[in-house]
Amino acid sequence: MVSSPHEALHRIFQEDPALFVRAVKSIGITFGAPVSAGPLPTDLTENRPLERRVDTLLRLDTEDGAGFLLAVESQSAPDPKKPASWAYYASYLHAKYRLPPVLLVVCADRRTAAWASQHVDIGPPQWPSLTVRPLVLGPDSLPVIRSSEEAARDIPLTVLSAALRRRDPDAGAILKALGTALKDLSADDEKTASKFAVYMEQGLGATPAANLWRQIMAADLSFFQSETAQNLREEGREKGRSEGREEGREEGRVAGRAEDILLLLRNRGIQVSEDERACILSCGDLEVLGAWFTRAITAASVDELFVDAEGEPES
């Protein structure tokens, strides 16, 4: 039994689903006549836990006394499922906090930014019930900051500009300006300088700009304690160890080849003087030793090792 006007106003459509088409026609909205209709569960509660998380959520109160919620999403590629999630975020936030939500989508890719900028209607084309309209920041949204003075005036904006333009030729100019600004800032506020250096490191990802940033920061790491700084220091130590190991291997190959030449000459019965032996052992050029070894296979005397194919003495 219908027990209230509230119930009557929606349950009548259960009795005659086509009533919807006829009713909205009177206000100028036209839908095709339904050919079938069936009831669905009205409980929209999730039957299983479903985790939904926006990347960053802030409440902003403005100087004019107003306030709104800012939901920030970092989007790396187009995703056809995202607009539905964004619509859910906006609806949920509005219902929970009773504040107007603003969705900001940040994209470091022009194709993704163009995709995210499209308004998405949710509902039939005759009358969408909800339209998703995110604000989008992409590579072309922020200015190219080329001077350290300008960078120092707004370091967070400079970091964001560089991160969004990380694949552009302009990235290098922004990073150099930022590097100088951060080094100047570190003299007064080392913690803040290091924090934004880390944000910049993370924002560049695996791009050529990241390598440039590492070089810029390698010039003065006195204040920079991020993973990049630690990696650069470790790379320096490892490079030294590696160079030492390689130098040792190179010396071993040289000494071994010299001994091979002397052994070959001895086995062939060719006499080697002390001076000639010293000359062979003191040679540090592996390529020259290789040539001498080849000649030692057929040489009639040690003198033949030390002349080139034209019979000229090698320098």
Side-chain angles (χ1 to χ4, degrees):
M1 172 68 75
V2 177
S3 59
S4 70
H6 170 84
E7 292 287 315
L9 290 178
H10 72 83
R11 289 187 62 174
I12 191 171
F13 292 97
Q14 296 177 17
E15 301 298 322
D16 183 3
L19 172 62
F20 162 71
V21 175
R22 302 192 301 274
V24 298
K25 188 176 182 178
S26 65
I27 56 173
I29 310 300
T30 303
F31 286 83
V35 296
S36 64
L40 294 173
T42 59
D43 187 355
L44 303 183
T45 304
E46 296 284 357
N47 293 324
R48 56 184 175 82
L50 182 62
E51 187 174 279
R52 296 183 186 270
R53 293 181 182 273
V54 67
D55 289 338
T56 288
L57 179 62
L58 303 169
R59 171 175 175 161
L60 277 69
D61 295 310
T62 58
E63 59 185 7
D64 57 5
F68 64 94
L69 301 174
L70 179 63
V72 184
E73 285 278 278
S74 177
Q75 192 70 25
S76 60
D79 181 352
K81 296 180 181 179
K82 271 296 183 178
S85 296
W86 294 338
Y88 176 89
Y89 298 159
S91 299
Y92 176 85
L93 292 172
H94 179 68
K96 181 175 182 177
Y97 295 99
R98 297 299 175 182
L99 286 171
V102 175
L103 174 65
L104 176 65
V105 181
V106 187
C107 312
D109 173 87
R110 286 179 173 80
R111 182 175 69 95
T112 305
W115 164 81
S117 298
Q118 300 177 27
H119 297 175
V120 177
D121 292 329
I122 297 178
Q126 299 93 329
W127 194 265
S129 298
L130 186 63
T131 299
V132 181
R133 300 178 60 203
L135 286 173
V136 177
L137 291 178
D140 299 320
S141 301
L142 298 180
V144 177
I145 298 172
R146 299 181 182 276
S147 72
S148 58
E149 293 79 9
E150 188 179 3
R153 285 195 291 271
D154 197 335
I155 285 178
L157 185 69
T158 306
V159 171
L160 182 58
S161 176
L164 292 180
R165 295 179 179 272
R166 62 194 183 200
R167 296 183 180 88
D168 289 3
D170 296 323
I174 304 173
L175 291 175
K176 290 175 183 176
L178 176 63
T180 301
L182 286 179
K183 290 172 187 176
D184 292 342
L185 175 62
S186 68
D188 300 319
D189 192 345
E190 182 177 312
K191 184 177 180 180
T192 298
S194 183
K195 176 178 65 176
F196 283 111
V198 171
Y199 283 140
M200 190 70 271
E201 173 191 350
Q202 295 171 340
L204 294 173
T207 61
N211 294 329
L212 175 59
W213 181 242
R214 291 160 66 88
Q215 295 170 17
I216 291 172
M217 299 319 302
D220 180 7
L221 296 176
S222 59
F223 73 92
F224 191 49
Q225 301 299 321
S226 80
E227 182 179 351
T228 288
Q230 297 169 12
N231 287 344
L232 284 170
R233 295 188 186 100
E234 180 56 32
E235 284 175 10
R237 290 190 290 266
E238 179 58 31
K239 183 178 180 182
R241 291 192 292 266
S242 177
E243 289 176 350
R245 288 192 296 267
E246 182 58 33
E247 184 177 349
R249 285 193 292 267
E250 180 72 12
E251 290 176 354
R253 287 193 292 267
V254 166
R257 180 49 57 95
E259 292 291 347
D260 290 342
I261 294 170
L262 294 172
L263 179 61
L264 178 58
L265 292 171
R266 184 169 64 249
N267 289 341
R268 294 188 61 233
I270 296 176
Q271 296 296 318
V272 180
S273 70
E274 287 301 319
D275 289 343
E276 291 168 338
R277 178 182 175 84
C279 179
I280 293 172
L281 290 175
S282 65
C283 180
D285 191 322
L286 195 59
E287 185 176 346
V288 171
L289 288 169
W292 289 354
F293 181 84
T294 300
R295 295 170 193 165
I297 297 173
T298 58
S301 69
V302 177
D303 289 339
E304 294 184 15
L305 267 60
F306 305 141
V307 296
D308 60 21
E310 283 72 33
E312 297 293 329
E314 291 183 327
S315 57

